Amino acid sequence: MTDQKMLAQISGKAGFLAALDQSGGSTPGALKAYGIPETAYSGDEAMFQLMHEMRVRIMTSPAFTGDKIIGAILFEKTMDGDANGKSVPAYLWEDRGVVPFLKVDKGVEAEKDGVSLLKPMPELDTLLARAAKLGIFGTKERSVIHLANKDGIAAIAAQQFVVGEQIARHGLVPILEPEVLIKSPNKAEAEAMLRDELLKGLDALTGDFKVMIKLTIPEVPDLYKPLIEHDRVVRIVALSGGYPMADACRRLSHNHGMIASFSRALIDDLKQQMSDSEFDAVLAKAVDAIYQASTVKD
């Protein structure tokens, strides 16, 4: 059953979602950006341990609280880890006032019809049951749109809703994430097609559950307003998609009702070698900028 206190925070509180869900494929790059080269560790276990230490450092920083960060998206290994002697989901909610989400997808298929669909997730029900027991509120599953191909975009939206319904059966709130790549040669056209397909999917939903949707910041400001206003939507959040933080925040500020769910834009300036005070100051500056773009609109 959905936690009503968490739901109230995610649906109505000012703030943004922090995306701390880099998976195995993106972890070496994230560590390198953090100041840890691949020569500094050997094997996946050591790599994921360093990544966990980075995430714990972020989560335990004074700036990382529910005052401005209303939720955080976790990688599975982070969900299963500890922070300050508690499970990470419990620590986030009980000690920081931050609602925990889980990334559940296992990557995407090769491009076909201009999109990359989700890979099969045969163990999804098992993972969702475990996540619910650990206090996870919702989930996120990312697929990718490369081109403005109507058939492909219809397929990617349909798949997101099918997975979303499976997730909702476990009492979790799904974040659908069909990401339009920022380098798509026809990004605006793809986004208009996606909006229309998502509206069709929302209108066709059965049951009484609601979804969240995570989208690339659109080329046309307020393009996703009909989604934001739909009664089956908890909230619409924006991915930074590779835009530098200042650019992502500027673009987001033009989209009313859309809040951030940034990853790279949040952590790009953090370095392992920083003192705790310097680290905390840099993170606080990023949090303030993203909060401002999420709450103060042009």
Side-chain angles (χ1 to χ4, degrees):
M1 181 179 293
T2 302
D3 185 299
Q4 293 303 305
K5 189 174 180 182
M6 289 185 183
L7 178 61
Q9 175 159 314
I10 292 300
S11 63
K13 187 175 181 181
F16 69 95
L17 271 61
L20 304 178
D21 58 336
Q22 296 89 352
S23 58
S26 56
T27 296
L31 286 174
K32 184 177 180 181
Y34 183 51
I36 302 176
E38 291 187 49
T39 54
Y41 55 88
S42 177
D44 285 352
E45 185 175 348
M47 176 183 73
F48 284 123
Q49 179 58 35
L50 288 168
M51 197 70 203
H52 183 69
E53 291 170 4
M54 170 186 156
R55 288 168 175 150
V56 170
R57 191 179 186 189
I58 291 169
M59 290 184 286
T60 56
S61 174
F64 202 94
T65 75
D67 290 343
K68 294 179 179 177
I69 300 171
I70 61 173
I73 304 170
L74 308 174
F75 177 51
E76 183 179 347
K77 286 183 178 293
T78 308
M79 176 187 75
D80 291 334
D82 293 334
N84 279 11
K86 290 186 175 182
S87 74
V88 167
Y91 173 75
L92 283 173
W93 182 237
E94 295 169 8
D95 293 29
R96 313 303 281 180
V98 174
V99 175
F101 291 79
L102 174 67
K103 167 190 164 72
V104 297
D105 67 83
K106 302 302 180 184
V108 296
E109 303 278 16
E111 181 182 347
K112 180 183 178 183
D113 292 333
V115 303
S116 294
L117 295 169
L118 295 164
K119 287 183 176 178
M121 294 176 279
E123 306 298 324
L124 181 59
D125 283 318
T126 301
L127 175 60
L128 294 172
R130 187 159 60 83
K133 287 182 179 179
L134 286 169
I136 291 292
F137 170 76
T139 66
K140 189 206 81 166
E141 58 275 2
R142 171 186 176 266
S143 48
V144 178
I145 297 170
H146 304 267
L147 299 170
N149 181 300
K150 187 169 178 56
D151 290 341
I153 290 174
I156 212 170
Q159 185 191 45
Q160 285 281 339
F161 281 109
V162 168
V163 175
E165 291 198 36
Q166 183 179 357
I167 290 161
R169 288 196 290 270
H170 289 263
L172 302 172
V173 175
I175 301 178
L176 316 182
E177 187 186 6
E179 176 184 351
V180 179
L181 294 180
I182 65 171
K183 294 181 180 178
S184 171
N186 39 22
K187 179 172 178 283
E189 186 180 356
E191 289 167 342
M193 290 179 181
L194 177 61
R195 176 201 57 196
D196 294 345
E197 291 298 330
L198 290 173
L199 284 170
K200 289 179 190 176
L202 289 168
D203 289 340
L205 282 178
T206 58
D208 59 359
F209 70 94
K210 296 187 177 184
V211 304
M212 297 173 66
I213 309 176
K214 182 170 178 175
L215 298 164
T216 310
I217 304 169
E219 293 300 298
V220 178
D222 290 331
L223 177 75
Y224 295 127
K225 185 178 179 182
L227 301 176
I228 292 167
E229 295 175 344
H230 201 284
D231 61 6
R232 299 300 293 266
V233 172
V234 176
R235 208 140 191 193
I236 301 293
V237 301
L239 58 98
S240 53
Y243 291 125
M245 188 177 71
D247 193 13
C249 287
R250 178 186 60 79
R251 289 170 177 267
L252 181 59
S253 69
H254 300 321
N255 287 272
H256 300 79
M258 196 176 199
I259 66 170
S261 176
F262 290 174
S263 174
R264 282 168 288 181
L266 174 65
I267 66 174
D268 264 357
D269 292 332
L270 300 174
K271 305 296 178 188
Q272 183 196 40
Q273 297 79 8
M274 290 176 170
S275 66
D276 287 344
S277 60
E278 186 180 6
F279 183 95
D280 293 341
V282 171
L283 180 60
K285 183 178 179 181
V287 168
D288 287 347
I290 297 170
Y291 178 83
Q292 179 86 358
S294 295
T295 57
V296 179
K297 303 296 184 176
D298 291 344

